[in-house]
Amino acid sequence: MCGIVGFTGAREAAPLLLEGLRRLEYRGYDSAGIAVTGGGTIRVEKVSGKVEKLCEKTRDGAAVPGFTGIGHTRWATHGAPTDTNAHPHLSNDGRFAVVHNGIIENYAALREELTAKGYVFQSETDTEVIVHLLEYFDTGDPKTAVMRTVARLEGSYALGVLCADRPDTLFAVREASPLILGIGVGENYFASDVTALVSYTKNAVYLDDGEFAELTPRGITVYDCSGRPVEKPVTRITWDVEAAEKGGYEHFMLKEIMEQPAAVRAALAPRIRDGEILLEGFDLSAEELGRFNRLIITACGSAYYAGCAAKYALEALCRIPVEAVLASELRYGDPLIDDRTLLIVISQSGETADTIAAMKECRARGAKTLAIVNVVGSTIAKSADWTLYTRAGPEIAVATTKGYTTQLAVLFLLALSMGRRLGRVDGDRYNALLGDLLRLPKLIQNAIDLNHGIPALAKKYHRSPSLFFIGRNTDWASALEGALKMKEISYIHAESYAAGELKHGTIALIEEGTPVIAVCCNEALEDKTISNIVEVKARGARVLAVAFRGDRKIVSQANDVIYIPRIGTLFSPVLAVIPMQLLAYYVAKENGCDIDKPKNLAKSVTVE
Ligand code: G6P
């Protein structure tokens, strides 16, 4: 979703802003713009379309001279993705420019009020009210104007503000939308996430909600909402530039699929010492864990599907009721939650608006919160009672791969640790399952290596108008993620069903040649799934099964089989998803799709 960058220093700002915007492209956007101060004025350039177009228009920034500026990639919410609606927006007197990520919920009332005062609106955006408020409150001190403006805003916003009279000053404001400051030598920056900062600095300051910062080339001062300076710790960014680049792969998605053995190893290995699982801070005693009589998992998208898969392991190993609920439903669902509920919140970005809201709602009802998050210092990571980082490294492709499998790895580790501490997993079972977890990185590599035939399979399936993904129990959870991957990046209609549910309606859609991807990695239920395979084949379906290597039963039933190495049922979703990620990738490639930046989608969904 929208990306923000800001720079002030002794170098030309525009090329650095454009480079920062390029690094934020993965978040998803439909227009881009920059504003730079120089000679007492602000120059704005913006385009609908890609950052590349903005580079052409500005001759890679050369046409917009100046040493302080802000930039933006916009994912349209209020108003179509046109040049006019693109950010930055400029005040009527030309003295302020603003970029904004988030939604101003009271914009309609503010727009009416400002129009009545004579301000002329150029765009349909909610953002434009901010820049007119700045002008309205301006008495020559931009810091005061920023504070007064922010006091009028309701909603979520990360803002970058530029002022023509202060050619070496930037303001950055944060309320419920991510914004990070970067500290350089003789220059300073802000950005929506660290991927835009890592090539310039490794030193970051994470703003909290309600704080704003004044940046000059000489330093950064952070204030609370009443203008009092706040001491902020400087955090060292551990991601490097290479991690956020393609490294020879054609797409980030393929690179990230291939990184999964290492990412899952980073998520697991440092947390296992001498047969013990160590979960930074969440190593609660049996008595403390015993207080929880219910686990609720909440998340959006793939993170929710990771929760669906983990539910089986958590229930099997902890013997506590577990429910996985979509965050967008939970937040308005009047949930039955109290202080005996442990809420497990899963998010790659740590900034998903619905997930944050569901978490707040459950905390207000007394739940304790455990976050499983990739992005260090993100909102969810910071506001949970306990946080376990997934350590996947930067994930750039919009469709998550290593983000998802590392979430699963941490969730399975958590399930095993909790089950053992609660005394519900005996020593032998614990050792066997811990062994499975430790083997996962190698097995993921095997799953990748076993599937060199997938590009050829993709050629068979890529023209299908519709694909169905089926499975039972843990396999159903894998099928949900498999179908999501397919539709996200290939734009082919893909649906997932619990295999046993097919005949209650969906089987009516099966015709001659309809592809059905059947996940068969739950050995106890394989015969049941095979019955469903037989049923769809009888109606003409072409079945592609995902099964364990050496599975003989499946060969005679399915038209095609893709194999994964054998592992116990509970943790099998980590492996089952690998060939489905590859299948989605190669089908999308066959269809010439924009794999890393699929249309209409955003990496980090920071609005409701
Ligand atoms: C978007 C992304 C998905 C992701 C979901 C939740 O829809 O495209 O890949 O699963 O948001 O994001 P989160 O950052 O909370 O895991």
Side-chain angles (χ1 to χ4, degrees), residues 212-250:
F212 70 102
E214 188 172 354
L215 295 84
T216 69
R218 300 167 295 286
I220 284 175
T221 315
V222 178
Y223 302 98
D224 66 14
C225 55
S226 53
R228 276 188 299 264
V230 185
E231 279 295 315
K232 299 290 288 183
V234 175
T235 305
R236 193 85 189 138
I237 302 169
T238 52
W239 295 355
D240 54 20
V241 188
E242 294 73 47
E245 285 173 350
K246 280 189 208 154
Y249 288 97
E250 195 177 344

Side-chain angles (χ1 to χ4, degrees), residues 320-388:
I320 302 178
V322 184
E323 210 184 329
V325 190
L326 286 166
S328 52
E329 289 295 313
L330 184 64
R331 64 182 293 189
Y332 297 119
D334 193 12
L336 295 172
I337 280 170
D338 59 23
D339 61 355
R340 299 198 63 193
T341 306
L342 175 65
L343 182 80
I344 302 177
V345 185
I346 311 169
S347 176
Q348 189 284 129
S349 64
E351 301 292 352
T352 303
D354 280 325
T355 312
I356 293 170
M359 184 177 177
K360 273 191 188 150
E361 183 60 42
C362 295
R363 291 195 84 178
R365 290 169 191 241
K368 291 278 178 220
T369 50
L370 168 64
I372 295 179
V373 174
N374 187 34
V375 177
V376 175
S378 55
T379 304
I380 293 173
K382 285 199 300 184
S383 43
D385 295 302
W386 302 277
T387 296
L388 296 174

